[in-house]
Amino acid sequence: MLSAIFAIIFVLIIICISLYDKFLAVIEENTNYRFKLELDKMEQEYSAKLDDKLNQLHSLRHDMKNHLIVIDGYASQHNDRKIHEYIHNISEDLSLTNAVDSGSHIVSALIAEKEDKAKSQNIRCEINISTPGINIDDFSITTIIGNLFDNAIKAATECEHGWIRFSLTQTGSYMNIVIENSYSGNIIENNGEFTSTKNDKVLPHGIGIKNVRKVVSNLNGHIDFSYASGYFSVKAELPNYS
């Protein structure tokens, strides 16, 4: 009888393990599906913005002669103020959508979306991209850039004059991702986690850092964090070769 009970328990354990594995597989499949949907939506929105930008450029080119006539008229009147205002209006129209060229449509869409988000919260944002192409899979690169950018935005919003600097460059066969931002408060680091003394809240940089570290490690890359008074920096170096 005891042997039969042990046999039944053993079978139940096997069934539970099998069901658990299937459950994890379903969760992973659903997660990947949602991730793909989000990437597709982000890419479509970015493509629509680029189309709008292209239409703006075509419209400006079509009307350029008329614009020059107006500016020339203000110049003949020595009306420098009107000239500056007119040129400023044209520049404003052209800057409604920032074109980002990273070599990857997904990454370009992601960076453009984060830049727009930062600027909508009055955060000064500087973007520098100089890379021949991105050979890192979409999931990994968006996990790294997305988390780091989101954390930088959350920290910069706590500052009176928040700012973010983002660069994506290539050195040899390695891609360099650097994101720097302002923050308010003091930082306490404990086992790779960052805590702010401001209102005893966890510094936004702690959100998603574990995921970023994991992805960077899986890619055989390297990541460093550094900070000083009012300044936080993350530098990631990733293999990027075909």
Side-chain angles (χ1 to χ4, degrees):
M1 178 65 70
L2 190 60
S3 298
I5 292 175
F6 280 134
I8 293 173
I9 293 175
F10 179 76
V11 171
L12 290 175
I13 291 175
I14 296 299
I15 293 174
C16 289
I17 292 175
S18 177
L19 291 176
Y20 181 70
D21 289 340
K22 290 181 179 179
F23 178 69
L24 290 180
V26 170
I27 291 179
E28 183 179 3
E29 183 178 352
N30 288 338
T31 300
N32 291 336
Y33 179 70
R34 289 197 301 271
F35 175 75
K36 186 178 184 304
L37 287 179
E38 290 176 2
L39 287 183
D40 289 343
K41 180 182 178 182
M42 182 176 63
E43 189 173 10
Q44 290 173 4
E45 291 176 350
Y46 182 64
S47 295
K49 289 181 179 179
L50 289 182
D51 288 340
D52 288 341
K53 171 65 72 176
L54 188 59
N55 289 333
Q56 290 176 28
L57 291 175
H58 283 320
S59 177
L60 180 62
R61 180 181 178 183
H62 180 268
D63 296 335
M64 183 55 69
K65 183 178 180 180
N66 293 330
H67 290 313
L68 292 176
I69 291 173
V70 173
I71 293 173
D72 183 62
Y74 288 140
S76 65
Q77 299 170 9
H78 304 288
N79 195 334
D80 294 340
R81 184 179 63 82
K82 283 292 186 179
I83 292 176
H84 289 305
E85 288 179 355
Y86 200 86
I87 294 176
H88 176 74
N89 290 335
I90 296 175
S91 299
E92 282 292 310
D93 289 339
L94 289 175
S95 63
L96 291 177
T97 302
N98 296 314
V100 177
D101 184 13
S102 68
S104 164
H105 210 243
I106 290 293
V107 174
S108 296
L110 177 65
I111 295 173
E113 191 269 337
K114 299 304 179 186
E115 183 181 10
D116 288 342
K117 180 180 179 181
K119 290 184 175 180
S120 70
Q121 300 185 52
N122 297 319
I123 298 172
R124 180 167 53 86
C125 197
E126 298 177 10
I127 306 293
N128 174 39
I129 299 178
S130 178
T131 175
I134 297 177
N135 299 304
I136 302 170
D137 67 278
D138 292 338
F139 181 85
S140 297
I141 195 67
T142 54
T143 296
I144 295 171
I145 294 177
N147 275 294
L148 295 182
F149 226 125
D150 283 341
N151 292 336
I153 291 173
K154 289 178 181 179
T157 56
E158 296 289 331
C159 304
E160 184 177 358
H161 301 290
W163 56 267
I164 294 173
R165 289 192 294 264
F166 174 87
S167 69
L168 186 65
T169 59
Q170 183 86 6
T171 303
S173 58
Y174 283 83
M175 173 179 291
N176 305 299
I177 300 173
V178 179
I179 185 162
E180 304 164 304
N181 61 271
S182 59
Y183 78 88
S184 179
N186 298 317
I187 295 177
I188 300 175
E189 183 178 358
N190 183 22
N191 295 324
E193 297 296 330
F194 302 97
T195 304
S196 174
T197 58
K198 183 176 182 180
N199 299 326
D200 296 326
K201 293 181 179 179
V202 175
L203 188 72
H205 289 87
I207 302 173
I209 289 298
K210 289 183 178 179
N211 288 340
V212 172
R213 289 186 188 275
K214 181 180 179 181
V215 172
V216 170
S217 177
N218 290 341
L219 294 172
N220 296 317
H222 181 73
I223 189 167
D224 283 320
F225 300 86
S226 60
Y227 50 89
S229 179
Y231 166 88
F232 198 97
S233 173
V234 185
K235 298 180 180 179
E237 186 179 72
L238 308 170
N240 183 46
Y241 42 80
S242 55

